[in-house]
Amino acid sequence: MIGLLQKYHCGSKIVLCILLLGVQKSAAECPNGWTRFNDSCYSFGHHDVTFLEATRFCSHYNAYLVIIESDAENKFIASVLEELNSNRHWIGLTDEIVEGTWKWYSTDKVANYTDWYPGQPDLGGRANCADILSSAPYAYHWLDDDCTSKFRPICERGLDTETSIVGK
Ligand SMILES: [Ca+2]
Ligand SMILES: [Ca+2]
């Protein structure tokens, strides 16, 4: 706590500063209708669209087609899809540029973490975009599909901190 106070130059106005730190903490949140997990907010689209349309849908909300970087994040996504009883969703992963090199669309970074269904990806140049399929036997693992197939988007964005008071 002392470290935090020094970081925000609290000086002698310590009580006020603690109050402001409280305000800042509560200000970091997700927009209405978005679900929080760690430092990201997620929205699960209700309409089936192509991969490209899905990326545009997310951009419209200052978000990107989801980047899944850990088993914990992947399990969180699966748990929401189970709750929504929703079957098939695009994630932001594509090998459209170099066949077999799967990159996150919005960052152009090669995926370190993946959760392909056994034997996937299996369609080579005919399938350059990745989706999560809830139903058995796939059970929330990933598949490669034709980018013009139509599935629901999962969008991700950072926490909304624009109302922050401290640190001006
Ligand atoms: Ca993420
Ligand atoms: Ca491919």
Side-chain angles (χ1 to χ4, degrees):
M1 190 66 194
I2 297 300
L4 259 182
L5 294 175
Q6 284 165 347
K7 184 178 166 194
Y8 289 106
H9 311 293
C10 284
S12 57
K13 297 177 187 127
I14 199 158
V15 173
L16 176 64
C17 200
I18 287 170
L19 288 172
L20 289 175
L21 283 171
V23 169
Q24 188 201 35
K25 199 161 190 192
S26 64
E29 55 190 22
C30 291
N32 280 341
W34 292 65
T35 305
R36 180 171 177 175
F37 178 74
N38 289 342
D39 289 335
S40 287
C41 308
Y42 302 81
S43 178
F44 296 76
H46 296 296
H47 299 288
D48 289 329
V49 293
T50 67
F51 182 87
L52 189 60
E53 287 166 345
T55 65
R56 288 177 183 154
F57 175 83
C58 294
S59 295
H60 181 74
Y61 295 100
N62 293 321
Y64 44 88
L65 207 49
V66 67
I67 297 176
I68 303 175
E69 294 154 294
S70 68
D71 194 45
E73 188 175 18
N74 198 43
K75 284 199 168 85
F76 160 76
I77 300 287
S79 72
V80 176
L81 294 184
E82 187 173 19
E83 199 172 303
L84 294 173
N85 195 22
S86 193
N87 193 40
R88 204 155 188 173
H89 289 257
W90 287 124
I91 60 175
L93 191 62
T94 174
D95 77 333
E96 197 143 52
I97 308 299
V98 179
E99 175 55 36
T101 300
W102 289 88
K103 289 181 165 185
W104 294 108
Y105 181 87
S106 58
T107 62
D108 203 38
K109 287 191 176 150
V110 173
N112 294 318
Y113 172 85
T114 56
D115 185 32
W116 299 108
Y117 182 72
Q120 299 289 324
D122 66 344
L123 295 175
R126 289 181 291 132
N128 298 329
C129 293
D131 61 278
I132 295 181
L133 184 49
S134 303
S135 57
Y138 301 99
Y140 308 99
H141 291 291
W142 308 357
L143 291 83
D144 61 331
D145 265 292
D146 185 329
C147 301
T148 60
S149 298
K150 294 191 173 182
F151 308 130
R152 298 174 179 192
I154 302 172
C155 304
E156 178 182 3
R157 55 176 280 173
L159 294 176
D160 204 345
T161 53
E162 62 189 29
T163 51
S164 174
I165 291 173
V166 177
K168 53 190 183 271

